[in-house]
């Protein structure tokens, strides 16, 4: 099997990310707190484990969405840490916020209050098929009719990291407000964007 093409991204003072060069734009992250490194929804690839270990002592692997198996279990085993699947309550410096809980979709968002960092698995993203027009951040297409305003609306993030697409490292609070307040209105634009993205990425 060919190695995934990925690149590092979302570099900021409390962590970093890496993204796969594909239509889905799967993005993973590592957050660093007091020399301890937490990997979030990781996809494995060249240099990923080395980069995590270089950042500090591995503390855990967090899987924020039940179907986001990715390489969480395998990487946790190699790092010698626990694999936390859809964690509840608090974990280390983080609060786990339930954003969707049903038979087919169980997801939490990770909130780091001390750094005002919000990590989303699927509930919000920046990949082209998520966004309508000039949106910087968008609610998941299947959640646009009922966006998670109650769960996320009171947060004021400085940084938003996404499971699909690169994060929002500037103006994150405003981007979140807009995504939550305009999700329904921009459904037609999102459908058009998703179709364009699919056409651009389909095999020739």
């Amino acid at each position: 099997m060919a190695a995934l093409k990925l690149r590092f991204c979302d570099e900021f003072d409390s962590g970093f990310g890496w993204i796969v060069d594909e239509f889905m734009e799967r993005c993973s992250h590592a957050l660093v707190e007091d020399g301890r490194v937490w990997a979030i929804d990781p996809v494995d690839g060249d240099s990923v484990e080395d980069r995590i270990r270089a950042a500090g002592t591995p503390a855990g692997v967090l899987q924020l969405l039940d179907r986001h198996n990715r390489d969480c279990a395998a990487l946790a085993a190699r790092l010698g840490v626990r694999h936390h699947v859809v964690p509840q309550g608090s974990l280390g410096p983080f609060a786990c916020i339930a954003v969707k809980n049903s038979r087919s979709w169980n997801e939490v968002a990770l909130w780091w209050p001390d750094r005002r960092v919000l990590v989303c698995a699927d509930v919000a993203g920046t990949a082209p098929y998520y966004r309508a027009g000039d949106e910087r951040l968008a609610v998941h297409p299947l959640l646009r009719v009922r966006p998670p305003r109650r769960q996320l609306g009171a947060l004021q993030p400085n940084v938003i990291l996404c499971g699909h697409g690169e994060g929002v490292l500037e103006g994150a609070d405003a981007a979140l407000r807009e995504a939550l307040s305009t999700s329904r209105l921009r459904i037609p634009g999102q459908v058009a964007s998703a179709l364009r993205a699919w056409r651009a990425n389909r095999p020739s």
Side-chain angles (χ1 to χ4, degrees):
M1 182 180 295
L4 290 175
K5 294 182 179 179
L6 59 81
R7 58 181 171 81
F8 288 97
C9 63
D10 294 344
E11 304 272 359
F12 71 117
D13 60 358
S14 299
F16 58 91
W18 57 100
I19 191 167
V20 183
D21 181 18
E22 61 180 8
F23 172 74
M24 296 295 289
E25 293 196 9
R26 287 175 295 168
C27 198
S28 312
H29 295 91
L31 298 180
V32 185
E33 187 259 348
D34 288 341
R36 305 177 75 213
V37 187
W38 303 82
I40 318 297
D41 288 337
V43 173
D44 202 2
D46 290 343
S47 304
V48 167
E49 182 179 349
D50 291 342
R51 182 74 191 272
I52 290 173
R53 291 187 183 278
T57 303
V61 172
L62 280 60
Q63 180 178 331
L64 303 185
L65 176 65
D66 53 357
R67 62 178 179 269
H68 258 193
N69 297 321
R70 297 187 175 181
D71 298 309
C72 295
L75 187 59
R78 292 211 314 274
L79 294 172
V81 296
R82 183 177 172 185
H83 172 203
H84 303 269
V85 181
V86 193
Q88 305 295 315
S90 60
L91 181 64
F94 314 118
C96 303
I97 302 171
V99 291
K100 183 71 174 176
N101 188 2
S102 68
R103 286 186 178 182
S104 60
W105 192 331
N106 189 9
E107 179 179 354
V108 298
L110 200 69
W111 174 239
W112 190 357
D114 290 348
R115 304 293 175 88
R116 289 172 58 189
V117 174
L118 175 65
V119 189
C120 299
D122 271 19
V123 67
T126 64
Y129 59 90
Y130 265 73
R131 295 182 286 113
D134 60 355
E135 281 184 310
R136 298 179 58 217
L137 177 77
V139 173
H140 189 284
L142 297 181
L143 300 179
R144 277 183 174 266
V145 172
R146 299 182 65 183
R149 295 191 183 100
R150 177 178 57 82
Q151 298 92 328
L152 302 182
L155 304 180
Q156 296 180 316
N158 288 329
V159 170
I160 300 174
L161 305 175
C162 306
H164 296 276
E166 294 188 31
V168 180
L169 306 185
E170 295 183 3
D173 185 26
L176 179 61
R177 302 275 84 70
E178 180 179 359
L180 293 174
S181 64
T182 65
S183 63
R184 293 186 188 182
L185 295 174
R186 306 190 77 168
I187 288 175
Q190 182 276 321
V191 173
S193 294
L195 183 58
R196 286 194 299 270
W198 176 77
R199 285 173 174 168
N201 285 274
R202 66 181 175 179
S204 56

